[in-house]
Amino acid sequence: AAQSAHATNTASHTAAEAALGAKQTELDAAETAYRDALAALTDATGDSSMTTTDVAAVSDAQALVSTLEAQVAALTAEVATATDSHTSLSSSLSSSAASL
């Protein structure tokens, strides 16, 4: 029974590690996209002789920055949840290993 519980905890822990890694990768990509969009917005708003097209581009860039900002916040929360799950499963794994 102890070996079965330990095997289950090992599988759950491995899955949690994979999920955490995937979410962290997704968060890193979103943060990079956010920084790039913010840089583009900064460049676009720095032009003193803006045309109508430039104004539209700034509006689009602002919308993209807002969207990416929300995505980064959501992914940060998901990474925190995945980290908590991983920590809990690490504890369960240690306990089941000790009972072998």
Side-chain angles (χ1 to χ4, degrees):
Q3 284 182 328
S4 177
H6 184 64
T8 299
N9 286 339
T10 299
S12 296
H13 183 261
T14 301
E17 276 186 329
L20 176 57
K23 280 297 169 192
Q24 189 61 56
T25 299
E26 198 176 343
L27 174 58
D28 292 345
E31 286 176 334
T32 298
Y34 172 73
R35 282 191 299 273
D36 291 348
L38 203 52
L41 176 59
T42 301
D43 288 347
T45 55
D47 186 359
S48 59
S49 58
M50 292 179 66
T51 66
T52 304
T53 303
D54 294 330
V55 171
V58 167
S59 179
D60 290 348
Q62 285 172 327
L64 179 59
V65 165
S66 293
T67 298
L68 289 170
E69 193 171 43
Q71 183 180 11
V72 166
L75 287 169
T76 298
E78 289 178 26
V79 166
T81 299
T83 300
D84 290 346
S85 175
H86 178 259
T87 300
S88 175
L89 287 166
S90 292
S91 177
S92 296
L93 185 59
S94 294
S95 294
S96 63
S99 68
L100 289 179

